[in-house]
Amino acid sequence: MQELFKKIIHTDVKPLFAKHGYSKKNLNFYKADGNLTYKFNIQRAKVNTSSQVQFYVNCGVHSTELAEMHSVGLNGDISE
């Protein structure tokens, strides 16, 4: 199961993201575009067997501009 998962990541998932300009670290793919960073994470499913592999694709977008506008202080207060 583990080897099949690694093969899918290496031969299918990684080339797809690389083709679109993403860099890879572990099971995370990142791409910066101006003030935005696009993030995708591949998460193994717990129900995998030796003949079937499932995984989740988690995604997120980070905005540097929004983070600077609404940074949270150490005491939890939001500064503007």
Side-chain angles (χ1 to χ4, degrees):
M1 180 256 321
Q2 180 72 10
E3 291 306 314
L4 179 56
F5 178 80
K6 286 181 181 180
K7 181 180 178 183
I8 291 169
I9 297 298
H10 182 72
T11 61
D12 298 318
V13 176
K14 183 179 176 183
L16 175 67
F17 278 104
K19 180 174 124 178
H20 294 283
Y22 284 81
S23 57
K24 179 182 178 295
K25 182 175 181 183
N26 299 319
L27 294 175
N28 302 297
F29 296 86
Y30 302 92
K31 179 173 138 178
D33 184 11
N35 286 330
L36 298 176
T37 301
Y38 303 96
K39 303 175 183 184
F40 289 89
N41 166 264
I42 308 300
Q43 178 184 345
R44 294 178 186 95
K46 293 182 180 182
V47 297
N48 290 338
T49 65
S50 60
S51 62
Q52 181 179 3
V53 173
Q54 297 179 15
F55 55 88
Y56 301 96
V57 179
N58 304 304
C59 60
V61 178
H62 174 80
S63 168
T64 304
E65 185 177 353
L66 284 175
E68 290 172 355
M69 288 173 46
H70 298 286
S71 61
V72 177
L74 292 176
N75 61 2
D77 293 338
I78 297 175
S79 60
E80 296 185 35

